[in-house]
Amino acid sequence: MNSKMRVPCAYQGGKQRVASQIVDLLLEAAPGPNSRFYDLCCGSGAVSIELVNRGIDPSRIWMLDISSWGAFWSAIGSGTFNLDVFDRFLSELPNDKRDFKAHMLSLSALPVGDHEVELYPLLQACSFGGKQIWRNGERWVNACFRDYWEPTTTSIRRSPANPMQPSSTELRRRISALMTGMKGVTCLNMDIMTLLNDPLPSNAVVYIDPPYQSTTKYAFSFDLTSFINHFREVNQAPLFISEGIPLNDNALMLNFGGANGGISGIRKVKHQEWLSQF
Protein backbone atom coordinates (compact mmCIF):
# COMPACT_ATOMS: atom_id res chain seq x y z
CA MET A 1 0.00 0.00 0.00
CA ASN A 2 1.17 3.52 -0.83
CA SER A 3 2.19 5.08 2.49
CA LYS A 4 2.11 8.65 1.15
CA MET A 5 -0.74 10.85 2.28
CA ARG A 6 -3.21 12.11 -0.31
CA VAL A 7 -5.76 14.93 -0.48
CA PRO A 8 -9.11 13.85 0.96
CA CYS A 9 -10.99 14.23 -2.33
CA ALA A 10 -11.03 15.90 -5.72
CA TYR A 11 -11.54 19.65 -5.58
CA GLN A 12 -11.86 22.16 -8.39
CA GLY A 13 -8.54 23.98 -8.57
CA GLY A 14 -6.80 21.42 -6.34
CA LYS A 15 -3.06 21.08 -6.93
CA GLN A 16 -2.46 17.35 -6.38
CA ARG A 17 -1.23 16.83 -9.95
CA VAL A 18 1.38 19.59 -9.78
CA ALA A 19 2.14 19.67 -6.04
CA SER A 20 5.47 17.88 -6.48
CA GLN A 21 6.73 20.51 -8.95
CA ILE A 22 5.54 23.36 -6.70
CA VAL A 23 7.20 21.87 -3.63
CA ASP A 24 10.48 21.43 -5.52
CA LEU A 25 10.57 25.21 -5.99
CA LEU A 26 9.43 26.02 -2.45
CA LEU A 27 12.18 23.84 -0.97
CA GLU A 28 14.75 25.36 -3.30
CA ALA A 29 13.72 28.87 -2.19
CA ALA A 30 13.81 28.04 1.53
CA PRO A 31 16.37 30.31 3.24
CA GLY A 32 17.45 27.75 5.83
CA PRO A 33 16.98 24.23 7.24
CA ASN A 34 14.21 25.35 9.61
CA SER A 35 12.22 27.51 7.21
CA ARG A 36 8.52 27.97 7.81
CA PHE A 37 6.19 27.27 4.88
CA TYR A 38 2.95 29.19 4.37
CA ASP A 39 0.28 27.53 2.21
CA LEU A 40 -2.35 30.25 1.68
CA CYS A 41 -5.80 29.53 0.23
CA CYS A 42 -4.77 25.93 0.91
CA GLY A 43 -8.05 24.27 -0.11
CA SER A 44 -7.70 20.49 -0.07
CA GLY A 45 -4.11 20.83 1.11
CA ALA A 46 -2.15 19.24 -1.75
CA VAL A 47 0.95 21.42 -1.30
CA SER A 48 1.11 21.06 2.49
CA ILE A 49 0.60 17.31 2.21
CA GLU A 50 3.43 17.08 -0.33
CA LEU A 51 5.71 19.06 2.00
CA VAL A 52 5.07 16.59 4.83
CA ASN A 53 5.42 13.63 2.47
CA ARG A 54 8.87 15.05 1.64
CA GLY A 55 9.87 15.10 5.30
CA ILE A 56 8.97 18.63 6.41
CA ASP A 57 7.73 18.56 10.00
CA PRO A 58 4.05 19.64 10.24
CA SER A 59 4.98 22.18 12.92
CA ARG A 60 6.83 24.17 10.22
CA ILE A 61 3.71 24.53 8.06
CA TRP A 62 1.11 27.26 8.35
CA MET A 63 -2.00 26.81 6.25
CA LEU A 64 -4.76 29.36 5.69
CA ASP A 65 -8.22 29.15 4.16
CA ILE A 66 -11.33 31.16 4.93
CA SER A 67 -13.65 28.36 3.75
CA SER A 68 -14.67 25.08 5.40
CA TRP A 69 -11.33 23.66 4.22
CA GLY A 70 -9.71 26.00 6.74
CA ALA A 71 -11.94 24.65 9.51
CA PHE A 72 -11.14 21.08 8.41
CA TRP A 73 -7.36 21.59 8.43
CA SER A 74 -7.51 23.45 11.72
CA ALA A 75 -9.21 20.41 13.25
CA ILE A 76 -6.72 18.00 11.64
CA GLY A 77 -3.71 20.04 12.82
CA SER A 78 -5.00 20.47 16.37
CA GLY A 79 -6.16 16.88 16.72
CA THR A 80 -9.83 17.81 17.23
CA PHE A 81 -11.29 16.12 14.13
CA ASN A 82 -13.89 13.68 15.50
CA LEU A 83 -13.49 10.37 13.70
CA ASP A 84 -16.48 8.87 15.55
CA VAL A 85 -18.77 11.56 14.13
CA PHE A 86 -17.25 11.08 10.68
CA ASP A 87 -17.82 7.32 10.93
CA ARG A 88 -21.44 7.96 11.86
CA PHE A 89 -21.93 10.03 8.70
CA LEU A 90 -20.31 7.23 6.67
CA SER A 91 -22.52 4.58 8.27
CA GLU A 92 -25.63 6.51 7.22
CA LEU A 93 -24.72 6.46 3.52
CA PRO A 94 -27.25 4.57 1.34
CA ASN A 95 -26.44 1.02 0.26
CA ASP A 96 -27.48 1.79 -3.31
CA LYS A 97 -25.18 4.29 -5.05
CA ARG A 98 -28.16 5.57 -7.02
CA ASP A 99 -29.51 7.03 -3.78
CA PHE A 100 -26.37 9.00 -2.88
CA LYS A 101 -27.40 12.22 -4.60
CA ALA A 102 -30.76 12.45 -2.79
CA HIS A 103 -29.05 11.64 0.53
CA MET A 104 -26.44 14.36 0.04
CA LEU A 105 -29.07 16.89 -0.97
CA SER A 106 -30.99 16.20 2.23
CA LEU A 107 -27.82 16.44 4.36
CA SER A 108 -26.81 19.72 2.74
CA ALA A 109 -30.29 21.18 3.33
CA LEU A 110 -29.92 20.82 7.11
CA PRO A 111 -28.40 23.62 9.25
CA VAL A 112 -24.63 23.16 9.42
CA GLY A 113 -24.55 22.58 13.18
CA ASP A 114 -21.53 21.56 15.25
CA HIS A 115 -19.99 19.00 12.89
CA GLU A 116 -19.00 21.13 9.90
CA VAL A 117 -15.48 19.67 9.71
CA GLU A 118 -16.63 16.05 9.79
CA LEU A 119 -19.44 16.49 7.26
CA TYR A 120 -17.66 18.80 4.83
CA PRO A 121 -15.23 16.28 3.25
CA LEU A 122 -18.15 13.90 2.67
CA LEU A 123 -20.18 16.58 0.88
CA GLN A 124 -17.15 17.72 -1.13
CA ALA A 125 -16.34 14.14 -2.19
CA CYS A 126 -19.80 13.96 -3.76
CA SER A 127 -19.72 17.43 -5.32
CA PHE A 128 -20.45 17.53 -9.04
CA GLY A 129 -17.21 18.31 -10.88
CA GLY A 130 -15.38 18.80 -7.58
CA LYS A 131 -16.89 22.30 -7.38
CA GLN A 132 -16.56 24.08 -4.08
CA ILE A 133 -19.37 23.68 -1.58
CA TRP A 134 -19.24 26.37 1.07
CA ARG A 135 -20.81 27.47 4.31
CA ASN A 136 -22.82 30.67 4.49
CA GLY A 137 -23.85 31.14 8.10
CA GLU A 138 -25.75 27.99 9.04
CA ARG A 139 -26.45 26.92 5.45
CA TRP A 140 -24.50 24.97 2.85
CA VAL A 141 -24.33 26.79 -0.50
CA ASN A 142 -23.52 25.64 -4.06
CA ALA A 143 -24.32 22.07 -3.08
CA CYS A 144 -24.67 20.18 -6.37
CA PHE A 145 -24.03 16.44 -6.33
CA ARG A 146 -23.18 13.66 -8.77
CA ASP A 147 -25.57 11.04 -10.06
CA TYR A 148 -24.45 7.45 -10.38
CA TRP A 149 -23.61 7.03 -14.08
CA GLU A 150 -23.31 3.83 -16.08
CA PRO A 151 -21.84 3.57 -19.59
CA THR A 152 -24.11 3.08 -22.57
CA THR A 153 -23.23 1.17 -25.70
CA THR A 154 -21.90 4.38 -27.30
CA SER A 155 -19.94 5.69 -24.28
CA ILE A 156 -16.19 6.00 -24.63
CA ARG A 157 -15.80 5.48 -20.90
CA ARG A 158 -16.54 1.84 -20.07
CA SER A 159 -16.68 1.92 -16.27
CA PRO A 160 -19.39 3.47 -14.08
CA ALA A 161 -18.82 6.93 -12.58
CA ASN A 162 -19.50 6.73 -8.89
CA PRO A 163 -21.39 9.50 -7.08
CA MET A 164 -18.67 9.69 -4.43
CA GLN A 165 -15.00 10.03 -5.34
CA PRO A 166 -13.08 8.56 -3.67
CA SER A 167 -15.20 5.78 -2.17
CA SER A 168 -16.27 6.04 1.46
CA THR A 169 -13.67 3.41 2.44
CA GLU A 170 -10.85 5.28 0.70
CA LEU A 171 -12.02 8.66 2.03
CA ARG A 172 -11.87 7.28 5.56
CA ARG A 173 -8.42 5.81 4.96
CA ARG A 174 -7.10 9.11 3.64
CA ILE A 175 -8.53 11.19 6.48
CA SER A 176 -7.28 8.73 9.10
CA ALA A 177 -3.78 9.02 7.59
CA LEU A 178 -4.03 12.82 7.60
CA MET A 179 -5.09 12.83 11.27
CA THR A 180 -1.79 11.17 12.11
CA GLY A 181 0.56 12.61 9.50
CA MET A 182 -0.64 16.23 9.44
CA LYS A 183 -1.15 16.68 13.18
CA GLY A 184 0.82 19.73 14.26
CA VAL A 185 0.18 21.94 11.23
CA THR A 186 -1.28 25.33 12.07
CA CYS A 187 -4.28 26.32 9.98
CA LEU A 188 -5.77 29.79 10.15
CA ASN A 189 -9.46 29.77 9.23
CA MET A 190 -9.58 33.45 8.30
CA ASP A 191 -9.34 36.10 5.56
CA ILE A 192 -5.95 36.12 3.84
CA MET A 193 -5.71 39.93 4.07
CA THR A 194 -5.45 39.62 7.86
CA LEU A 195 -2.02 38.08 7.32
CA LEU A 196 -0.73 41.47 6.21
CA ASN A 197 -1.18 43.01 9.66
CA ASP A 198 2.25 41.83 10.84
CA PRO A 199 5.47 40.75 9.08
CA LEU A 200 6.02 37.02 8.62
CA PRO A 201 9.18 35.41 10.08
CA SER A 202 12.38 36.06 8.14
CA ASN A 203 12.70 32.35 7.33
CA ALA A 204 9.27 32.12 5.65
CA VAL A 205 8.47 30.79 2.17
CA VAL A 206 4.97 31.71 0.98
CA TYR A 207 2.76 29.96 -1.56
CA ILE A 208 -0.70 31.22 -2.59
CA ASP A 209 -3.31 29.39 -4.64
CA PRO A 210 -5.90 32.17 -5.14
CA PRO A 211 -9.30 31.63 -6.75
CA TYR A 212 -8.75 31.90 -10.48
CA GLN A 213 -9.94 35.11 -12.09
CA SER A 214 -11.84 33.46 -14.95
CA THR A 215 -13.30 30.17 -13.70
CA THR A 216 -16.50 29.07 -12.00
CA LYS A 217 -17.24 31.06 -8.92
CA TYR A 218 -15.73 30.35 -5.56
CA ALA A 219 -17.24 31.50 -2.29
CA PHE A 220 -14.40 33.82 -1.37
CA SER A 221 -12.09 36.01 -3.40
CA PHE A 222 -9.72 38.89 -2.82
CA ASP A 223 -7.74 41.51 -4.72
CA LEU A 224 -4.59 39.59 -5.60
CA THR A 225 -2.66 42.60 -6.94
CA SER A 226 -3.40 44.56 -3.77
CA PHE A 227 -2.29 41.61 -1.66
CA ILE A 228 1.02 41.28 -3.55
CA ASN A 229 1.76 44.99 -3.21
CA HIS A 230 0.99 45.09 0.51
CA PHE A 231 2.82 41.81 1.12
CA ARG A 232 5.98 43.24 -0.45
CA GLU A 233 5.72 46.35 1.74
CA VAL A 234 6.02 44.30 4.94
CA ASN A 235 7.77 41.06 3.92
CA GLN A 236 10.98 39.98 2.20
CA ALA A 237 9.97 36.31 1.99
CA PRO A 238 9.92 34.45 -1.34
CA LEU A 239 6.34 34.60 -2.65
CA PHE A 240 4.98 32.04 -5.16
CA ILE A 241 1.53 32.35 -6.72
CA SER A 242 -0.42 29.82 -8.81
CA GLU A 243 -2.59 31.08 -11.65
CA GLY A 244 -3.89 29.97 -15.02
CA ILE A 245 -1.71 32.65 -16.64
CA PRO A 246 1.81 33.98 -15.92
CA LEU A 247 1.64 36.97 -13.56
CA ASN A 248 5.13 38.29 -14.25
CA ASP A 249 8.29 37.52 -16.23
CA ASN A 250 9.47 35.19 -13.48
CA ALA A 251 6.84 32.51 -14.12
CA LEU A 252 7.12 28.81 -14.86
CA MET A 253 4.46 26.74 -16.61
CA LEU A 254 3.88 23.51 -14.70
CA ASN A 255 3.46 20.19 -16.44
CA PHE A 256 0.18 18.40 -15.76
CA GLY A 257 0.94 15.37 -17.93
CA GLY A 258 -1.54 12.55 -18.31
CA ALA A 259 -4.65 12.28 -20.43
CA ASN A 260 -7.11 15.08 -21.03
CA GLY A 261 -9.79 13.22 -19.12
CA GLY A 262 -13.52 13.92 -18.87
CA ILE A 263 -16.29 11.34 -19.04
CA SER A 264 -16.52 11.76 -22.83
CA GLY A 265 -12.76 11.53 -23.27
CA ILE A 266 -12.81 14.37 -25.82
CA ARG A 267 -11.64 17.36 -23.81
CA LYS A 268 -9.29 19.10 -26.24
CA VAL A 269 -7.42 21.76 -24.29
CA LYS A 270 -5.47 20.99 -21.15
CA HIS A 271 -5.69 23.56 -18.41
CA GLN A 272 -2.53 25.60 -17.95
CA GLU A 273 -0.99 26.18 -14.56
CA TRP A 274 1.68 28.84 -14.00
CA LEU A 275 3.75 29.44 -10.89
CA SER A 276 4.93 33.06 -10.64
CA GLN A 277 7.60 34.16 -8.17
CA PHE A 278 7.62 37.63 -6.66
Side-chain angles (χ1 to χ4, degrees), residues 38-42 63-68 70-71 187-198 200 208 210-211 219-224 226-227 231:
Y38 285 79
D39 181 6
L40 309 183
C41 307
C42 62
M63 306 169 78
L64 178 146
D65 203 292
I66 196 173
S67 76
S68 293
C187 186
L188 309 172
N189 187 199
M190 67 184 196
D191 189 326
I192 188 173
M193 301 303 282
T194 310
L195 208 66
L196 298 172
N197 292 345
D198 299 294
L200 298 181
I208 309 179
F220 310 99
S221 60
F222 63 99
D223 186 330
L224 181 59
S226 174
F227 179 88
F231 182 90

Side-chain angles (χ1 to χ4, degrees), residues 92-226:
E92 293 169 352
L93 289 172
N95 290 325
D96 190 334
K97 292 179 180 178
R98 293 167 183 80
D99 297 331
F100 267 51
K101 183 175 181 178
H103 180 72
M104 291 300 159
L105 283 169
S106 63
L107 272 181
S108 66
L110 298 172
V112 175
D114 297 329
H115 300 304
E116 172 189 9
V117 297
E118 288 81 21
L119 179 57
Y120 179 67
L122 196 64
L123 295 175
Q124 193 61 54
C126 296
S127 171
F128 183 80
K131 291 182 179 178
Q132 183 189 30
I133 296 171
W134 65 82
R135 176 181 182 167
N136 182 8
E138 290 305 304
R139 312 302 301 181
W140 294 107
V141 182
N142 204 37
C144 181
F145 302 104
R146 297 187 192 96
D147 281 306
Y148 178 71
W149 178 89
E150 289 185 323
T152 65
T153 53
T154 57
S155 301
I156 293 174
R157 178 180 174 132
R158 300 314 306 159
S159 58
N162 289 316
M164 184 174 180
Q165 297 173 12
S167 68
S168 58
T169 303
E170 174 63 9
L171 181 64
R172 189 191 189 280
R173 187 199 69 77
R174 293 186 191 185
I175 287 181
S176 181
L178 294 170
M179 289 174 68
T180 301
M182 297 297 285
K183 187 174 182 180
V185 300
T186 298
C187 186
L188 309 172
N189 187 199
M190 67 184 196
D191 189 326
I192 188 173
M193 301 303 282
T194 310
L195 208 66
L196 298 172
N197 292 345
D198 299 294
L200 298 181
S202 59
N203 64 343
V205 178
V206 183
Y207 168 73
I208 309 179
D209 183 17
Y212 283 177
Q213 307 297 326
S214 57
T215 54
T216 344
K217 67 177 182 178
Y218 288 75
F220 310 99
S221 60
F222 63 99
D223 186 330
L224 181 59
T225 302
S226 174

